[in-house]
């Protein structure tokens, strides 16, 4: 393997949103294990010891990407310590299993605030630091729900479709700075958020969690749900120089669900 196509991240710097659990945590952990310094923002991080907690390679911030003041505080903390960042992963997202008639205006505001506004505002404020990197890359976490006809979550599908569109437009917008922008669309992954979806469907349909989970698994060609690590592997590939000529693309990680 030549130096040009290395896939380790020794001494690189990454910002990841939604790093407390699921796919985000897998991305943060894998980057840190590869030598990257990682800053991650998520309101689920305990704030008893202060909003910022510094560990080995990983600094966590208890805050919301949907709140501009939190993003600015997060940015200032990083700017005080780093003169650039190499990677931005917009992973933070929330889910809502509810049809359009039962969805409220506040539901709309909440899901748009995290899934779309949060992705926009984090990108807006961190582009300046990305421009100072020699190998900048952005990965946005979308979903097959943004592309595939599915019942029960129109607001979620709308936001994830928006992320795919934003990714392609952003790739064109930031290409002049040599910043690559791609997205990853996971399918049925074993995460706390996905499990909440299964619980919601089970309640509505009068079935058990196990019955809905079995149905989920059977939908993909591989007949199983995926793991956060399987998504994180693709994210790390897109951040690395091994994907240096991939730009403006959406990579589906769903075991073949989209094809069925």
């Amino acid at each position: 393997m030549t130096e040009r196509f290395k896939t380790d991240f020794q001494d690189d710097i990454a910002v990841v949103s939604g790093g407390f659990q699921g796919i985000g945590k897998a991305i943060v952990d894998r980057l840190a294990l590869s030598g990257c310094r990682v800053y991650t923002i998520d309101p689920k991080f305990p704030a008893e010891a202060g909003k910022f907690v510094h560990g080995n390679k990983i600094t966590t911030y208890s805050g919301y990407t949907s709140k501009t003041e939190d993003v600015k505080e997060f940015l200032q903390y990083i700017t005080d310590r780093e003169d650039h960042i190499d990677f931005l992963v917009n992973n933070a997202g929330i889910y809502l299993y509810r049809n359009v008639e039962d969805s409220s205006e506040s539901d709309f505001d909440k899901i748009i605030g995290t899934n779309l506004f949060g992705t926009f505002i984090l990108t807006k404020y961190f582009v300046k630091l990305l421009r100072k990197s020699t190998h900048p890359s952005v990965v946005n976490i979308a979903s097959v729900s943004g592309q595939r006809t599915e019942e029960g979550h129109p607001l979620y599908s709308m936001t994830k479709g928006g992320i795919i569109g934003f990714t392609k437009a952003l790739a064109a917008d930031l290409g002049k700075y040599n910043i690559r922008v791609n997205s990853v669309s996971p399918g049925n992954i074993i995460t706390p958020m996905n499990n909440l979806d299964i619980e919601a469907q089970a309640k509505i349909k009068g079935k058990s969690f196990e019955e809905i989970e079995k149905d989920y698994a059977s939908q993909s060609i591989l007949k199983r749900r995926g793991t956060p690590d399987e998504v994180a592997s693709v994210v790390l590939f897109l951040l690395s120089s091994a994907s240096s000529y991939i730009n403006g693309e959406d990579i589906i990680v769903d075991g073949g669900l989209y094809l069925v």
Side-chain angles (χ1 to χ4, degrees):
M1 181 182 294
T2 65
E3 180 66 15
R4 174 176 166 75
F5 296 108
K6 73 185 184 74
T7 54
D8 67 88
F9 300 93
Q10 194 66 43
D11 299 323
D12 286 332
I13 306 163
V15 169
V16 181
S17 67
F20 181 76
Q21 63 186 17
I23 292 170
K25 185 177 187 304
I27 294 167
V28 167
D29 289 347
R30 290 283 295 276
L31 282 170
L33 284 171
S34 296
C36 191
R37 294 199 300 282
V38 186
Y39 295 88
T40 179
I41 175 174
D42 194 312
K44 297 184 185 72
F45 287 120
E48 289 84 1
K51 278 195 167 185
F52 290 92
V53 177
H54 179 71
N56 183 25
K57 294 286 187 180
I58 301 171
T59 298
T60 66
Y61 170 60
S62 181
Y64 292 84
T65 56
S66 58
K67 295 181 179 179
T68 302
E69 60 270 26
D70 283 2
V71 172
K72 286 184 175 180
E73 184 177 26
F74 185 51
L75 172 67
Q76 188 61 56
Y77 182 90
I78 295 170
T79 303
D80 289 345
R81 290 156 178 80
E82 312 286 0
D83 61 3
H84 75 284
I85 65 168
D86 300 296
F87 312 125
L88 173 62
V89 181
N90 286 302
N91 166 75
I94 59 174
Y95 183 83
L96 180 69
Y97 188 77
R98 194 169 298 159
N99 66 41
V100 69
E101 291 177 288
D102 293 331
S103 300
S104 66
E105 287 86 348
S106 61
D107 290 334
F108 176 86
D109 290 341
K110 187 175 181 180
I111 201 165
I112 289 289
T114 299
N115 295 8
L116 286 181
F117 180 78
T119 297
F120 153 69
I121 204 70
L122 209 65
T123 305
K124 170 183 170 64
Y125 283 113
F126 279 93
V127 161
K128 187 174 181 179
L129 289 178
L130 278 168
R131 286 170 60 180
K132 297 178 181 180
S133 171
T134 59
H135 50 283
S137 181
V138 177
V139 175
N140 299 319
I141 304 301
S143 171
V144 290
S145 294
Q147 307 177 48
R148 182 175 179 264
T149 302
E150 293 180 337
E151 167 268 335
H153 43 67
L155 296 186
Y156 181 76
S157 293
M158 176 175 60
T159 61
K160 292 302 184 176
I163 286 173
I164 294 170
F166 180 66
T167 295
K168 294 181 182 299
L170 198 62
D173 219 28
L174 301 183
K176 58 183 173 288
Y177 305 123
N178 199 37
I179 300 174
R180 294 186 302 111
V181 186
N182 294 288
S183 60
V184 173
S185 284
N188 295 327
I189 308 300
I190 303 169
T191 66
M193 189 172 77
N194 198 240
N195 286 343
L196 286 175
D197 172 34
I198 292 175
E199 289 174 5
Q201 290 200 43
K203 185 176 181 180
I204 290 170
K205 297 176 180 179
K207 295 184 177 181
S208 69
F209 181 96
E210 290 73 22
E211 287 175 308
I212 300 295
E213 183 179 36
K214 185 177 180 180
D215 180 56
Y216 258 41
S218 69
Q219 289 175 21
S220 78
I221 291 173
L222 295 182
K223 305 300 180 189
R224 66 175 178 86
R225 297 169 71 195
T227 68
D229 255 355
E230 288 176 308
V231 181
S233 294
V234 178
V235 173
L236 266 65
F237 165 71
L238 289 173
L239 295 177
S240 78
S241 60
S243 64
S244 57
Y245 206 53
I246 299 177
N247 194 26
E249 295 294 332
D250 180 69
I251 309 297
I252 296 174
V253 186
D254 70 349
L257 173 67
Y258 186 71
L259 300 174
V260 178

